[in-house]
Amino acid sequence: MKLSFLTTLCLSISLADALDSCVGRCGYGTNPSHPCQCNAACERFRDCCSDYWSTCAAASQDSCQGRCGESYNSSNRCHCNTKCGQYSNCCKDYSTLCGGSSSGGASISDLELQSLSERLLSLDVNKARPGDLTLNPQSLIPDSETASPRDRAPQPLFSFVNEGVLFSKPTFSSFLKLLDNYSRFTGSAESFSSEQQGEQDSFLRAAVMGTALGKELYNFLFTKGYYSSEVEFIQDLKMMWFGLYSRGKGQLDSSGFEHIFLGEIKNSKVSGFHNWIQFYLLEKQGQLNYYSHSFDGPWTSYPDVLGLQFNWDGYYKQVGSAFIGSSPEFDLAVYSLCFIARPGKACQLRLGGKPIAIQTYTWTNSFYGNGKKFIASAYPISP
């Protein structure tokens, strides 16, 4: 059957119109044969189809309204399918509108989190004992005064740390090797040698496979369906914590580990920095000046929690909350648990019979794997 000239012309126009539209094309890779594109890259190269914003970008907003069960679409800021919890990229209303767990495996209740956090605390055999640390907190100030960078503590915070006992433990010693692998200024690209990457692997193996605490966390997440093997768990932790992303100047200059455990300098201020070991070492070296504290937790043994004000070699931190006296594996386990179970939210735990909340944040500007989010920050909330 031969088509008339008019019919052929109409079909050609219809095909051209289809190629000029993003209907059914959102998120697909760039196709140079098409006159316009429908993925996130088109925003940068300015070759989006005219209906890109209404057809694709509208679907990339933060709601699952009308999107439950959709296929993965790289142009969307958040997702509404059964795997979004596994990759920590569900929209905020996924559970409400789609009836699933935004955490990927089986849902985790606050009661389960509190019970597990108590078990992790009891298994932290590497934490400091009363004789291992001596603190001199000095001035306690109200929150209203933390914005003023004033030194109210004439003495260091740490009067004594039993390095011979604490720093000889495998998780401490492997953690300490990581501390000189970073540049503290954002905008300065980070890169790791094969030796430094091996140090990351050694720390994670020691923290997860080498401690009852790490195994308890893995077993819990395994039974909940988040991970199928220790190898998968450790590999995900490595990307979650050590994967690089950009906080400034388009450079791969930051990671969750650097931000939380070491601290960074951004816009002439201390950013992150929520680890007592790094604090102690810098104070001992004369690079950090303790000013005051605005919160002292109710715990009478370690780990305790302090909200700290300090100057790091010329840069001020208004409030840097941290566990004090905990082991590196405890911090890693608690922050990882909360990031997996309550990403971007306050995570309600209990330690020694007392409530504590951990705040986590996700890094949403870049991803690893099939859309999984890096950890951006995590710390104890200091009221």
Side-chain angles (χ1 to χ4, degrees), residues 187-255:
S188 177
E190 305 284 5
S191 62
F192 303 121
S193 66
S194 57
E195 179 182 0
Q196 290 170 335
Q197 292 185 45
E199 290 171 351
Q200 296 170 5
D201 294 333
S202 295
F203 170 65
L204 290 174
R205 285 196 300 268
V208 177
M209 295 189 294
T211 66
L213 184 159
K215 291 179 180 178
E216 180 71 15
L217 175 62
Y218 166 70
N219 288 334
F220 176 82
L221 295 173
F222 173 80
T223 59
K224 286 291 185 178
Y226 288 85
Y227 299 99
S228 59
S229 69
E230 279 190 342
V231 172
E232 180 190 3
F233 180 44
I234 291 175
Q235 182 59 34
D236 192 47
L237 288 179
K238 184 173 183 178
M239 292 304 303
M240 180 192 303
W241 281 98
F242 293 99
L244 294 173
Y245 48 81
S246 176
R247 290 187 189 265
K249 301 181 181 179
Q251 301 292 321
L252 293 178
D253 60 352
S254 184
S255 67

Side-chain angles (χ1 to χ4, degrees), residues 11-328:
L11 288 173
S12 299
I13 293 173
S14 297
L15 178 59
D17 288 344
L19 296 180
D20 283 336
S21 172
C22 284
V23 174
R25 295 174 52 204
C26 293
Y28 288 107
T30 299
N31 189 330
S33 68
H34 292 178
C36 58
Q37 309 301 326
C38 302
N39 52 49
C42 76
E43 299 176 29
R44 180 155 48 103
F45 293 105
R46 299 182 181 181
D47 59 354
C48 300
C49 296
S50 59
D51 62 353
Y52 167 76
W53 296 103
S54 59
T55 303
C56 302
S60 300
Q61 300 307 307
D62 297 327
S63 175
C64 284
Q65 187 69 44
R67 297 171 54 200
C68 293
E70 68 178 5
S71 299
Y72 176 74
N73 185 330
S74 62
S75 70
N76 292 347
R77 288 205 304 258
C78 63
H79 303 276
C80 305
N81 53 55
T82 56
K83 290 189 175 182
C84 69
Q86 178 183 350
Y87 294 105
S88 300
N89 57 15
C90 297
C91 296
K92 294 179 180 179
D93 56 3
Y94 172 72
S95 296
T96 302
L97 295 182
C98 305
S101 166
S102 60
S103 50
S107 61
I108 300 175
S109 69
D110 284 350
L111 187 61
E112 287 177 307
L113 288 173
Q114 292 160 14
S115 176
L116 177 59
S117 59
E118 291 283 23
R119 295 200 304 275
L120 295 177
L121 175 63
S122 68
L123 292 170
D124 189 13
V125 296
N126 290 329
K127 67 177 180 288
R129 305 300 174 182
D132 292 332
L133 292 183
T134 304
L135 296 179
N136 185 12
Q138 301 164 80
S139 183
L140 175 65
I141 65 172
D143 289 340
S144 59
E145 296 182 16
T146 60
S148 175
R150 177 183 166 194
D151 188 357
R152 298 173 172 87
Q155 301 298 321
L157 173 64
F158 288 93
S159 300
F160 171 74
V161 173
N162 194 339
E163 294 187 23
V165 169
L166 293 175
F167 291 179
S168 63
K169 297 179 179 184
T171 53
F172 277 83
S173 60
S174 60
F175 174 81
L176 292 171
K177 291 179 181 178
L178 300 168
L179 301 185
D180 62 354
N181 292 348
Y182 296 89
S183 167
R184 65 176 177 156
F185 292 96
T186 61
S188 177
E190 305 284 5
S191 62
F192 303 121
S193 66
S194 57
E195 179 182 0
Q196 290 170 335
Q197 292 185 45
E199 290 171 351
Q200 296 170 5
D201 294 333
S202 295
F203 170 65
L204 290 174
R205 285 196 300 268
V208 177
M209 295 189 294
T211 66
L213 184 159
K215 291 179 180 178
E216 180 71 15
L217 175 62
Y218 166 70
N219 288 334
F220 176 82
L221 295 173
F222 173 80
T223 59
K224 286 291 185 178
Y226 288 85
Y227 299 99
S228 59
S229 69
E230 279 190 342
V231 172
E232 180 190 3
F233 180 44
I234 291 175
Q235 182 59 34
D236 192 47
L237 288 179
K238 184 173 183 178
M239 292 304 303
M240 180 192 303
W241 281 98
F242 293 99
L244 294 173
Y245 48 81
S246 176
R247 290 187 189 265
K249 301 181 181 179
Q251 301 292 321
L252 293 178
D253 60 352
S254 184
S255 67
F257 182 84
E258 178 185 10
H259 181 84
I260 296 165
F261 284 94
L262 281 78
E264 300 174 296
I265 304 300
K266 183 177 182 180
N267 298 327
S268 299
K269 295 181 180 179
V270 178
S271 180
F273 203 131
H274 303 288
N275 180 254
W276 75 269
I277 302 171
Q278 170 78 336
F279 189 105
Y280 161 71
L281 291 173
L282 291 174
E283 186 178 60
K284 177 184 176 182
Q285 296 162 12
Q287 298 180 37
L288 186 150
N289 184 8
Y290 169 62
Y291 277 7
S292 59
H293 66 290
S294 55
F295 175 78
D296 188 349
W299 297 274
T300 56
S301 61
Y302 299 117
D304 196 0
V305 175
L306 290 178
L308 304 167
Q309 292 75 52
F310 57 91
N311 184 298
W312 181 14
D313 200 19
Y315 300 95
Y316 181 60
K317 179 67 176 182
Q318 183 172 345
V319 181
S321 60
F323 288 112
I324 305 296
S326 55
S327 69

